Amino acid sequence: MVQTPSPYNLRKLYWTFFRYDPTSDWDWAVEVAPAELGKGSNWRVGATTYRGPDASSFLDAMVKVRHGFAHQDKAQKPPAYAGIVTLTPTGRISIHSHHATNALSVLLQFAVLTTTGLADRLSVAGQFRWSTQMAAANWEGLLRNTPAGTMVSKNWKNAPQL
């Protein structure tokens, strides 16, 4: 289940061991170029969010794009989700720095929201805490202005304002 990552396999893993489906807890905030939203070309980056089943589909599309690049799959179709790739005027896939940041940010958002949701599901007492290692790894930058970052700021011990 974990060797072939996909939202379906992740959900199956959590359901098998904990009877927990994390999809309803997923709420990704990602940076997008306006060109990805169909508003024309512009270098400025905005934000958009994907929740629940849309977050699952976004994660699945992101994994498929990674697979296409890793295996040089020329038949890989561009995803329908803004924040993963930009299409050039000729229809080629183009990856920019905000796409790479989104991949890392969504991974952290997944970890924070799924862990918190699982802890709630299992009625695990205690409090999560922010560590110096998280700060050193730039979790602050990757979680800023996301629902996961807001939740961390409000609920985690020693957390910065995200």
Side-chain angles (χ1 to χ4, degrees):
M1 280 186 268
V2 295
Q3 218 168 6
T4 306
S6 74
Y8 172 76
N9 285 342
L10 292 168
R11 290 172 59 210
K12 193 162 94 174
L13 176 79
Y14 281 100
W15 186 258
T16 299
F17 289 105
F18 306 109
R19 295 292 185 243
Y20 165 65
D21 181 354
T23 307
S24 63
D25 293 321
W26 293 349
D27 191 356
W28 320 144
V30 296
E31 295 179 345
V32 297
E36 295 174 70
L37 299 173
K39 296 180 182 176
S41 179
N42 190 332
W43 65 270
R44 298 185 198 289
V45 176
T48 194
T49 59
Y50 298 103
R51 291 179 182 91
D54 286 337
S56 183
S57 296
F58 177 87
L59 185 59
D60 188 53
M62 187 174 276
V63 169
K64 286 179 180 173
V65 166
R66 189 228 51 94
H67 174 86
F69 281 132
H71 299 283
Q72 297 297 301
D73 183 0
K74 302 257 188 238
Q76 177 73 38
K77 292 184 178 181
Y81 292 89
I84 300 174
V85 299
T86 301
L87 293 179
T88 66
T90 60
R92 296 182 61 119
I93 292 176
S94 179
I95 302 264
H96 299 280
S97 61
H98 72 278
H99 299 125
T101 300
N102 286 342
L104 294 171
S105 178
V106 166
L107 174 66
L108 288 180
Q109 292 176 69
F110 167 86
V112 166
L113 296 173
T114 302
T115 302
T116 302
L118 181 60
D120 288 347
R121 168 84 171 125
L122 299 176
S123 301
V124 174
Q127 184 179 32
F128 294 103
R129 67 177 177 80
W130 189 265
S131 72
T132 55
Q133 290 84 1
M134 292 170 174
N138 191 33
W139 280 39
E140 191 171 340
L142 294 169
L143 290 175
R144 183 172 286 117
N145 299 320
T146 68
T150 301
M151 190 273 307
V152 165
S153 291
K154 289 181 181 177
N155 301 313
W156 286 29
K157 184 178 180 181
N158 301 326
Q161 288 302 308
L162 303 171

